[in-house]
Amino acid sequence: MISSKTYRNILNFVMFELGWLACVLLSQTWALIIVAVFLLVHFVLVSQYKMDELKFIVIGTLAGSLLDGLWLRTGILADTSGAAITTPLWLVALWAIFMTSLNHSLKWLGSNRLLMLLIVPIAGPFAYWSASALGAVTLPNLLPSLLALAVGWLVFFPALLSLRDFLYPRLAR
């Protein structure tokens, strides 16, 4: 494990950003392989409380995948393949790599609730809009989709942090 918190956060941020790009730009197979490798590196070099963090990542990934599935089913998002009955695996992988950031490179965002309430409803939809600009998903009705995503992130992000803090208090330190 890397002893410096700063270096752990930098590595976590880089892997999250590269993982996001892999999920959005590459084939589903390559995205899954890259995210799996990044998760392994995360648990070897970054994570201090491996089992607690693994539980949190699994729960958050499941919850986030269900949320994306809801957005796909309601038409807020559309899978570009048009064949998605469930949440595509690349989106599940994206949630997994995102969840690693909540106790590391994005931890600062949870410590200032007002700043979080200002940034999250913009940053969350921006990620989906960016993915749509790169062809990974579509936002069938742009403005209503972005507004729904903003409201969803405004509720979901703090809920994830509260879940982390409640269930796994050592992860919140």
Side-chain angles (χ1 to χ4, degrees):
M1 179 176 61
I2 297 171
S3 59
S4 166
K5 180 180 178 182
T6 300
Y7 291 146
R8 287 193 314 266
N9 284 342
I10 291 169
L11 179 59
N12 175 260
F13 177 76
V14 169
M15 287 191 301
F16 167 58
E17 292 300 322
L18 291 175
W20 187 91
L21 283 170
C23 288
V24 170
L25 293 176
L26 299 177
S27 72
Q28 185 160 275
T29 301
W30 278 110
L32 295 175
I33 291 169
I34 289 168
V35 168
V37 169
F38 285 173
L39 288 170
L40 179 65
V41 170
H42 175 82
F43 282 109
V44 170
L45 297 178
V46 177
S47 181
Q48 293 176 293
Y49 306 107
K50 293 167 183 24
M51 288 311 296
D52 287 345
E53 194 167 4
L54 177 62
K55 292 174 191 174
F56 175 66
I57 289 169
V58 168
I59 292 169
T61 299
L62 291 172
S65 299
L66 289 172
L67 181 61
D68 277 347
L70 175 67
W71 286 336
L72 286 162
R73 283 174 188 76
T74 59
I76 292 167
L77 291 177
D79 181 26
T80 55
S81 72
I85 296 171
T86 60
T87 306
L89 289 178
W90 68 268
L91 267 173
V92 175
L94 202 153
W95 274 105
I97 200 70
F98 170 72
M99 292 304 296
T100 68
S101 71
L102 294 183
N103 196 48
H104 299 284
S105 60
L106 289 181
K107 185 176 182 177
W108 63 272
L109 192 52
S111 64
N112 185 330
R113 297 294 175 158
L114 179 60
L115 187 59
M116 177 183 60
L117 293 174
L118 295 173
I119 291 175
V120 167
I122 296 167
F126 181 75
Y128 289 89
W129 177 82
S130 299
S132 74
L134 294 170
V137 294
T138 58
L139 301 170
N141 299 300
L142 184 61
L143 188 55
S145 290
L146 290 174
L147 289 173
L149 291 166
V151 170
W153 275 90
L154 192 57
V155 172
F156 194 68
F157 190 87
L160 286 174
L161 295 182
S162 295
L163 176 70
R164 177 201 65 190
D165 295 350
F166 179 74
L167 294 177
Y168 313 108
R170 4 186 223 190
L171 289 178
R173 283 188 232 142

